[in-house]
Amino acid sequence: MARIVVIGAGLGAMAAAARLAVAGHRVTVYERGATYGGAVGRFERDGFAFDTGPGLLHLPAVYRDLFVKTGKEPLEECVTLTQVDPASRHVFADGTRVDLPNASRAGTVAALDAALGAGAGERWGDFLVRAREAWDRTRRPLLEEPQPADPAPLAREPYPALKPGLLRRPTTTLAGIGARELRDPRLAALLDAYAWTYGFDPATAPASAAVLPYMEQTFGSWYVGGGLRALADAVHERCLKRRVAFVFDTPVEGVLEKDGRAVGVRLAGGGTVEADHVVSGAPVPALRRDQVVEWSEGGGWPRHQVTGTSRVTVCLALRGPRESGAVHRTVVHGDGERPTVTVLRPDDPALRPDADHESVTVTSTVRTSGEGEWVSFAGRMVEAAGHAVPGLRERLLWQHVRTPEDVRRDTGVAEVPGPALAGARGLLLPAGNRSPLPGLWFAGGWSHPGGGLAHAGMSGALVAGFIVEGADFRGSQ
């Protein structure tokens, strides 16, 4: 039985902790904040409740596997999962609207043809065929297997772009795909929105980012009853049942090293805890900034993803019930004046004081390099959300704005990591799970296979696999 210290109580870190405890190890989690969940937060006021992080779950099979491997109760006995249908409504700059069904390619093609004109659906369908090729080429190395010691092959672009011809350059960015292959500004905006949602600028994101809409439109979008915070509650409860110990309000200030190996941690206040393995769920850039780890000579900081983006979230408390025909998720596309926003309107009694009120969450991806007048920007977000919520201004009781500084306070960094993407010279690959310091492991959104709830859960499974099975671990089968 090994002694294992886990830094941070995010979803990826807790996923690793539960699996390691089931394998017979003694696991203690040290969390600098007062609660678990990391980016999967909750804001509550006056009977209203809002998810302050992700609002939908993709690839729920990751958490189904976690619950099967760590106990008798499957995921669906611990949380309520519902497929969101339609998966999303899109309101384009010219006023055109389209509802895209959940996990139905034929339905999506038909909906786009009906809303945008004959041929639009076919072009989108042809794009998804090429996106599937990129998915098939990268699924195992980017999602299911440990990151290779030499990730150079993943720096090559896997998307099978159309032949450039004699006078055209090959498509290398997601925006290039939209302009060249979709040939409709609304379809291009639809594609761009998937990139922005995950924190990538389509103008610089590699063509391989095509896997993002493919993943959602193939495997579907799911809502967790009570909000995504309920998933964090369930994972935390599973950890407790497996006798994982949690110590909150206790920052880890340093990783102890002896003979070139991690042997424990130093806590705020000077106390130390010995360990055979240390699993860090903290953001890799925060570890470097705070000098939590000092690599041995010949080591060096591991590569980590840099998106340069964060989130502004506006929580809206509304009087009056949700109208007939309302949908769970609406993307209102920007027009140069208004920002692109995602409006989430879950029809969930757990998030509102009664049936005569509604909780609405509005999010927008922003650059961390800008100073941002967040109050005025939030006002523009609310104006944009009015295209998704009839009579929003008249119904508004109050609003609560969360900025990149709130993200920094809750997670340690303002940036929000995205899923690992191939191409782009490897710049969008996260840190590997195996750190340069033996005995120190990385789990969570800043490590392989990257950001997002499903990807964080996969990182926890990979770290547990390394520790339990050793150097021969090759990932899920």
Side-chain angles (χ1 to χ4, degrees):
M1 178 176 69
R3 301 162 300 173
I4 298 175
V5 164
V6 177
I7 303 173
L11 267 291
M14 290 197 294
R19 291 175 183 269
L20 290 167
V22 165
H25 300 298
R26 193 173 72 212
V27 184
T28 303
V29 178
Y30 292 90
E31 164 58 46
R32 69 187 184 94
T35 188
Y36 50 85
V40 185
R42 171 64 57 90
F43 175 73
E44 297 181 356
R45 173 180 160 188
D46 300 339
F48 294 89
F50 308 84
D51 281 327
T52 58
L56 293 173
L57 176 65
H58 307 293
L59 299 176
V62 173
Y63 288 92
R64 291 191 179 110
D65 182 70
L66 171 65
F67 277 70
V68 166
K69 300 289 177 57
T70 59
K72 296 180 179 180
E73 306 88 359
L75 177 64
E76 276 82 356
E77 287 188 13
C78 301
V79 298
T80 301
L81 288 178
T82 305
Q83 278 195 298
V84 176
D85 203 6
S88 58
R89 172 174 290 167
H90 290 263
V91 181
F92 296 105
D94 66 354
T96 305
R97 296 178 175 234
V98 60
D99 289 356
L100 301 182
N102 200 330
S104 171
R105 179 181 168 186
T108 296
V109 168
L112 290 173
D113 274 341
L116 307 186
E122 181 180 5
R123 291 196 298 278
W124 184 261
D126 289 344
F127 154 72
L128 286 182
V129 170
R130 292 186 288 276
R132 178 178 178 175
E133 289 189 44
W135 171 264
D136 289 341
R137 292 172 181 174
T138 60
R139 176 178 59 87
R140 282 200 63 80
L142 281 187
L143 291 176
E144 300 171 1
E145 298 174 344
Q147 192 178 92
D150 178 13
L154 295 176
R156 293 194 290 268
E157 176 57 62
Y159 180 81
L162 297 178
K163 293 182 179 179
L166 294 177
L167 301 177
R168 294 185 298 174
R169 295 181 179 179
T171 300
T172 58
T173 66
L174 197 68
I177 291 176
R180 181 168 299 175
E181 301 178 20
L182 299 178
R183 303 192 306 278
D184 183 311
R186 295 164 298 183
L187 286 179
L190 174 62
L191 179 58
D192 288 353
Y194 282 98
W196 283 118
T197 295
Y198 286 94
F200 299 115
D201 182 344
T204 58
S208 65
V211 301
L212 302 176
Y214 173 81
M215 178 181 68
E216 283 200 25
Q217 294 193 9
T218 300
F219 302 106
S221 301
W222 301 74
Y223 178 68
V224 178
L228 265 292
R229 181 65 184 180
L231 178 63
D233 293 341
V235 175
H236 176 249
E237 182 64 25
R238 178 55 53 92
C239 286
L240 294 178
K241 288 183 177 180
R242 300 288 80 83
R243 298 186 178 180
V244 175
F246 286 82
V247 183
F248 294 106
D249 297 313
T250 306
V252 170
E253 294 187 339
V255 173
L256 304 178
E257 179 185 344
K258 182 178 180 181
D259 299 328
R261 180 180 176 83
V263 294
V265 297
R266 183 179 69 257
L267 306 178
T272 61
V273 180
E274 295 182 353
D276 300 295
H277 295 275
V278 176
V279 177
S280 176
V284 173
L287 293 176
R288 181 174 187 175
R289 179 196 67 217
D290 299 337
Q291 297 182 324
V292 174
V293 184
E294 296 180 6
W295 305 119
S296 300
E297 185 176 352
W301 279 95
R303 175 200 60 256
H304 63 81
Q305 189 185 78
V306 178
T307 62
T309 60
S310 187
R311 306 274 193 273
V312 174
T313 302
V314 185
C315 304
L316 302 177
L318 304 184
R319 63 169 66 87
R322 198 170 179 262
E323 78 278 3
S324 175
V327 300
H328 190 115
R329 174 171 60 170
T330 300
V331 179
V332 180
H333 295 264
D335 61 1
E337 293 294 327
R338 74 184 186 209
T340 295
V341 298
T342 298
V343 182
L344 296 182
R345 306 178 65 189
D347 188 11
D348 190 340
L351 304 184
R352 60 190 184 226
D354 53 51
D356 291 324
H357 293 84
E358 183 183 8
S359 303
V360 175
T361 304
V362 185
T363 60
S364 186
T365 299
V366 297
R367 301 183 192 281
T368 55
S369 58
E371 292 298 323
E373 292 291 338
W374 300 127
V375 173
S376 61
F377 184 78
R380 291 164 54 205
M381 289 173 61
V382 174
E383 289 297 326
H387 293 271
V389 184
L392 188 154
R393 281 296 182 187
E394 293 72 25
R395 298 178 57 198
L396 183 61
L397 292 171
W398 51 261
Q399 67 183 46
H400 173 74
V401 179
R402 289 179 51 84
T403 74
E405 284 306 310
D406 294 300
V407 176
R408 187 193 306 276
R409 184 194 64 233
D410 292 345
T411 68
V413 291
E415 275 192 284
V416 177
L421 293 180
R425 306 188 309 281
L427 296 177
L428 295 179
L429 296 175
N433 305 113
R434 191 199 306 254
S435 90
L437 178 66
L440 174 64
W441 309 89
F442 294 142
W446 285 94
S447 62
H448 180 72
L453 284 175
H455 293 69
M458 291 178 195
S459 77
L462 290 170
V463 167
F466 270 124
I467 294 175
V468 173
E469 299 185 28
D472 293 334
F473 176 62
R474 293 294 180 267
S476 61
Q477 303 300 315

